[in-house]
Amino acid sequence: FNPTMPDDLVYVPPRGEQRHGASLAALVELAQAHAYTLVETTLYNAFFVQYPLYEHFLREQVPDTSIEALHESTMVTSLYQLYDGTIKLWGCKKLLWHRIALDENKLQVLPENKRNFPFAPSAVFEEDMSKWSDQAVDFRPYRTDSEDMIAQRGLTYQKLLNQLKTDGFALVRGTGMDPQICREALKATQSFLQDADESVRHSCLSPTDRARRGYAPMNVENFASLLG
């Protein structure tokens, strides 16, 4: 398999003379379709055995046959984006088989003088909160069961969805939440993300059902995180 591909990527190379290499996840899917299971990996190779043989001989030695348990990604090349549009490289920073370094500067989509965070609060935002408050989505229709409020729920939902699709975030008001609860939630969040040891955050990951970034519908991840 191609070790520069992430473990959750299913990549099947096109038929032809091209030499791309398949991802490990793609090979695992193919093996499972033919009643084989993964039992070990090396840097470039994966080893599979038929289910009956695994059950009879290897289950005790290899109780967890997941990719996460059997493969350590040491050669993956990853890209990530900064808020201002800068593209960054992480992991293997070279063309592995050509031994040529990858240049981050040549990967940039935006020139340096045009990189900025489009949604950064401006001075106008800080000086005129009343203007932004008027644009906030009013959640009062969901707090009251009167007929006129129930009738407004569709409009509230649509306004919220439109703001998320347009900006990636939305300001809301009228939730009825105690401001003290919000302050305590922000304080606890800061403690978890900034002050707690990394082992504390890792302890919150489920070993059997880890959320994978990138699988959430567009524009809902941050909203869901805030609600969470």
Side-chain angles (χ1 to χ4, degrees):
F1 61 91
N2 186 331
T4 68
M5 297 180 182
D7 287 343
D8 58 348
L9 172 67
V10 178
Y11 179 80
V12 180
R15 292 182 179 274
E17 297 180 359
Q18 302 96 334
R19 298 292 294 275
H20 292 176
S23 67
L24 177 56
L27 295 180
V28 168
E29 283 196 358
L30 177 63
Q32 290 175 342
H34 295 276
Y36 281 77
T37 187
L38 180 70
V39 293
E40 185 56 279
T41 68
T42 64
L43 182 59
Y44 297 99
N45 301 302
F47 299 87
F48 302 88
V49 298
Q50 292 177 318
Y51 284 139
L53 294 176
Y54 167 75
E55 292 289 344
H56 191 70
F57 296 106
L58 295 173
R59 174 168 283 280
E60 290 187 5
Q61 289 84 354
V62 190
D64 188 349
T65 60
S66 66
I67 293 177
E68 290 83 1
L70 296 176
H71 180 242
E72 182 179 2
S73 300
T74 59
M75 290 295 179
V76 171
T77 300
S78 299
L79 290 177
Y80 62 94
Q81 307 174 37
L82 304 186
Y83 286 168
D84 66 353
T86 301
I87 302 297
K88 299 291 290 183
L89 275 174
W90 180 83
C92 183
K93 298 182 179 181
K94 64 180 179 180
L95 294 178
L96 193 58
W97 293 276
H98 298 77
R99 298 176 182 173
I100 300 175
L102 296 172
D103 188 343
E104 276 188 0
N105 294 324
K106 293 181 180 179
L107 298 175
Q108 302 307 318
V109 177
L110 295 175
E112 190 171 0
N113 61 358
K114 291 188 177 181
R115 292 179 209 164
N116 60 76
F117 181 42
F119 306 116
S122 64
V124 175
F125 177 88
E126 296 174 356
E127 294 173 1
D128 190 5
M129 280 298 296
S130 61
K131 169 187 172 183
W132 290 90
S133 178
D134 292 339
Q135 295 182 11
V137 180
D138 189 352
F139 265 60
R140 285 180 300 173
Y142 285 94
R143 294 173 46 212
T144 308
D145 290 332
S146 62
E147 291 186 4
D148 58 331
M149 284 296 184
I150 292 176
Q152 294 180 37
R153 290 179 182 177
L155 295 175
T156 300
Y157 166 80
Q158 194 59 51
K159 185 175 181 180
L160 175 65
L161 187 62
N162 289 341
Q163 284 201 17
L164 290 174
K165 286 182 176 180
T166 302
D167 299 328
F169 68 93
L171 296 173
V172 298
R173 59 185 174 88
T175 62
M177 294 179 63
D178 186 339
Q180 182 60 29
I181 293 178
C182 295
R183 286 190 287 269
E184 290 176 358
L186 288 173
K187 186 176 180 180
T189 301
Q190 180 179 6
S191 175
F192 178 75
L193 296 177
Q194 303 294 335
D195 304 330
D197 185 82
E198 187 65 24
S199 61
V200 175
R201 290 185 284 276
H202 277 227
S203 70
C204 297
L205 292 174
S206 166
T208 58
D209 186 23
R210 296 185 179 182
R212 297 189 182 277
R213 295 178 65 86
Y215 281 78
M218 183 177 66
N219 296 322
V220 302
E221 184 182 28
N222 289 342
F223 182 63
S225 298
L226 291 174
L227 291 180

